[in-house]
Amino acid sequence: MTPVHPIEAAFEDRFGTAPDGVWAAPGRVNLIGEHTDYNDGFALPMALPQTTRAAARRRTDTLLRLHSTRSEGAVTEVRLDALAPGTVPGWARYPAGVVWALAEAGHPVGGADLHIDSTVPTGAGLSSSAALECAVAAAYDDLYGLGLGRTELARAAQRAEHVFAGVPCGIMDQMASVCATEGAALHLDSRTLEHRQVPLDLAGHGLELLVVDTRVSHDLADGAYAALRAGCERAARLLGLPALRDLAPDGLAAALTALPAELAPLVRHVVTENARVEAAVARLDAGDVPSLGPLLTEGHASLRVDYGVSCAETDLAVTAALGAGALGARMTGAGFGGCVIALTPTALTGTVGDAVTTAFRAAGHRPPHLLTATPSAGATRTA
């Protein structure tokens, strides 16, 4: 096999032979439905054009060798029988965790050489970790002929992050990365994993989705994310519910009076956010894409006031975008920094981007990184 793509050549430079193939999985933005997935709720993500690519070659032993263009370090090597949560540090715990999760599930997997490259920004709330996990899961599925379905791949990737890497994430990121299709958002039920492709024709409505990377990085393993999830689970127990997804909007007022003061805002966000997802899907089904805007803005207010996961930079990006003509804007991802999305008339995208950049400069923040997002396809083999 003669390398024809840069990542294949890089694999051969690192490992001395050509890969068996290249697999890619995208990052994602979530249009609406934040912090709902670990509450068995609903979400509406879409895949990004930016992907993580894994060039991979099957080995005849149980050695796993990992290398990334984003790491200055040497190749990480570990044997499959030595894999356990906490045994692999840094970025390599995500791909190693996928292999561990597949083996734990009883799938006949062995060793592999993996070289990773990515265009998904890290620490920006665009699910770079899920993209990495899902690219590796797709590669292993093909390398070892596992024949897994998309949902099974997502479950393995989530288990890798949740148990092996120690981040108690929901499954929305991984489902978006493997199941999304071009030109659509993914309406996801996080309890059943039932999902539906909802057409999202931004260009046809003269719109773009501007993504503002505030360049404020976050680490979800620092305990803040886990504390929020624990608070939601405690609230569900106190209310006698399997999960907050089971609290209907018409029961919210009574529930809030029955809960400790510190839990009530979390519950209010989850219940109203689930309702916003359903409203967004109904509007897209009706072909009314511009009316998503106010839902995005309402969602940001809930994340800022009730959930407390916004920050000065994300709030400023939302305010500046709305002031420059965006139809709606909100932070996307788990929060604590990361990205803001703004639904913007195409003719105003440059104006909105300039306004956000100017506002950041005036506030003394680093200039944001701007990109536009189009609904893209999920994990696939590319070579």
Side-chain angles (χ1 to χ4, degrees), residues 2-92:
T2 302
V4 294
H5 297 296
I7 191 171
E8 293 178 280
F11 181 97
E12 185 164 326
D13 287 344
R14 178 60 56 176
F15 295 113
T17 186
D20 292 332
V22 179
W23 291 261
R28 66 97 188 95
V29 292
N30 192 20
L31 292 172
I32 199 77
E34 219 66 80
H35 290 277
T36 54
D37 58 347
Y38 56 79
N39 290 293
D40 283 2
F42 305 97
L44 190 64
M46 69 180 217
L48 291 169
Q50 289 76 15
T51 63
T52 294
R53 296 168 300 280
R57 183 176 179 86
R58 177 172 170 166
R59 295 180 60 89
T60 58
D61 55 21
T62 62
L63 183 64
L64 180 64
R65 299 198 296 176
L66 302 165
H67 184 263
S68 170
T69 55
R70 287 184 171 176
S71 173
E72 298 297 328
V75 173
T76 297
E77 295 189 2
V78 60
R79 294 199 174 275
L80 268 61
D81 59 5
L83 287 176
T87 59
V88 181
W91 73 271

Side-chain angles (χ1 to χ4, degrees), residues 2 14 63 96 119 132 153-154 160 198 203 222 255 260 282 313 320 365 378:
T2 302
R14 178 60 56 176
L63 183 64
T119 56
L132 171 56
L153 292 176
V198 183
D222 66 0
E313 291 85 353
H365 302 318

Side-chain angles (χ1 to χ4, degrees), residues 306-345:
D306 282 341
Y307 228 69
V309 294
S310 188
C311 65
E313 291 85 353
T314 50
D315 291 342
L316 180 59
V318 168
T319 299
L322 294 173
L327 303 182
R330 75 172 189 91
M331 55 149 279
T332 187
F336 317 106
C339 286
V340 162
I341 56 172
L343 185 65
T344 307

Side-chain angles (χ1 to χ4, degrees), residues 87-103:
T87 59
V88 181
W91 73 271
R93 69 189 190 272
Y94 295 101
V98 171
V99 181
W100 170 83
L102 291 171

